[in-house]
Amino acid sequence: MRKNIVAGNWKMNKDLLETKELLLGLKDKLSSFSNVEIIVAPTFTNLYMATEELKQSEIQVAAQNMHQTKSGAYTGEISAGMLKSIGVETVILGHSERRAHFGETDELLASKVNTALQNDMTVIFCFGEELQDRKENAHFAVVENQLKKGLFHIDEVNWKNVILAYEPVWAIGTGETASPEQAQEMHAFIRKTIAQAFGGTIADEVSILYGGSVKPGNAQEIFAKSDVDGGLIGGASLDAESFAAIANAI
Ligand code: PGA
């Protein structure tokens, strides 16, 4: 059975002490959970402290990005091996902010996906349409294209290390959420697209998270949809109480 997952993407927020405080708050509020996997993604400088702090906890740690090559002259970049050496086994790839502000293309993401999987890491692969795409009724085509170009080259065996995060760009950080029906419609389409390419079992097993202005007040109705297996949470994951409330909404 596929897993329910609630992941917090802390983006470029929280310094060392603030991160520690948030982690302590989460450990306190999420001391026992059984039906949901919890992942947090602090910024690079706080990852090591987070893996140490969460050693006795079931909360997992993810990086927000990584470079596609092993090592070398790439000033400012971080490799999969470096992440693994500090106990980080999961990485978010393809977030719309990386695509929009840092020029990450589908081709680049395909290569980052390969590197992560070759290093036995789990990938949280993000994708989603912009508002204009939806207005032009191109949202299904855009999503299908992002999936096919960035992810569908992987081998069947690697799907067990993939988590999908559908994040319509118009809903990220805007306070505007896709309706539960819009989320379900797209998630069902994503699952169907995977089934066509890789078969029903893989499509059934992969967790598809929704992201975009999920809050304690709307999480439950979104997560209740049959093809929504949890959420990737930005703003509302920066506060222990609200993130725990979202996790409990599963
Ligand atoms: P948001 O961000 O919850 O603040 O909309 C979601 C995300 O960017 O993953």
Side-chain angles (χ1 to χ4, degrees):
M1 239 195 41
R2 60 182 182 255
K3 288 182 280 194
N4 291 317
I5 298 165
V6 172
N9 176 9
W10 296 350
K11 308 190 180 181
M12 197 175 74
N13 294 296
K14 309 261 180 211
D15 65 18
L16 185 69
L17 287 178
E18 291 163 343
T19 301
K20 190 158 187 165
E21 200 178 321
L22 180 51
L23 289 168
L24 293 177
L26 286 179
K27 278 208 291 193
D28 180 47
K29 293 192 163 46
L30 292 168
S31 54
S32 65
F33 49 89
S34 54
N35 63 337
V36 58
E37 216 171 274
I38 310 282
I39 304 173
V40 293
T43 192
F44 280 131
T45 53
N46 298 322
L47 283 174
Y48 182 55
M49 183 274 290
T51 57
E52 289 289 304
E53 194 59 55
L54 295 174
K55 258 190 180 143
Q56 310 300 329
S57 157
E58 283 177 52
I59 301 172
Q60 298 168 39
V61 179
Q64 299 174 15
N65 179 35
M66 60 165 227
H67 198 261
Q68 65 277 16
T69 56
K70 201 172 169 191
S71 62
Y74 298 100
T75 302
E77 292 292 330
I78 312 275
S79 72
M82 291 169 186
L83 293 174
K84 291 206 66 172
S85 75
I86 57 164
V88 176
E89 304 276 343
T90 302
V91 61
I92 298 173
L93 293 176
H95 191 280
S96 66
E97 287 150 18
R98 299 291 323 166
R99 293 176 189 260
H101 306 315
F102 303 95
E104 295 202 0
T105 60
D106 294 317
E107 291 71 25
L108 175 71
L109 292 169
S111 126
K112 289 191 178 200
V113 164
N114 287 343
T115 303
L117 294 175
Q118 278 157 14
N119 281 277
D120 288 325
M121 295 181 78
T122 294
V123 173
I124 302 177
F125 185 79
C126 305
F127 54 96
E129 83 282 1
E130 298 192 24
L131 186 58
Q132 195 57 30
D133 302 323
R134 195 164 268 268
K135 282 188 177 153
E136 290 166 4
N137 206 27
H139 45 302
F140 293 113
V142 166
V143 160
E144 184 173 353
N145 196 43
Q146 287 174 329
L147 280 173
K148 289 195 166 157
K149 286 193 171 151
L151 191 67
F152 274 23
H153 60 285
I154 66 171
D155 289 336
E156 285 185 13
V157 292
N158 285 323
W159 274 94
K160 63 178 188 319
N161 289 332
V162 173
I163 299 165
L164 298 179
Y166 166 60
E167 299 202 301
V169 179
W170 48 272
I172 295 179
T174 57
E176 195 167 331
T177 326
S179 68
E181 291 70 31
Q182 284 173 322
Q184 169 57 29
E185 183 186 37
M186 184 58 88
H187 283 222
F189 170 77
I190 294 162
R191 219 178 282 288
K192 191 184 80 191
T193 307
I194 297 168
Q196 282 162 355
F198 294 91
T201 310
I202 285 175
D204 239 24
E205 287 291 311
V206 66
S207 299
I208 310 178
L209 316 185
Y210 167 79
S213 299
V214 177
K215 300 192 171 43
N218 60 22
Q220 201 156 15
E221 53 175 1
I222 297 172
F223 296 166
K225 292 295 178 189
S226 60
D227 284 299
V228 179
D229 308 308
L232 180 56
I233 322 299
S237 69
L238 294 171
D239 173 79
E241 201 154 323
S242 82
F243 188 57
I246 292 170
N248 283 325
I250 288 262

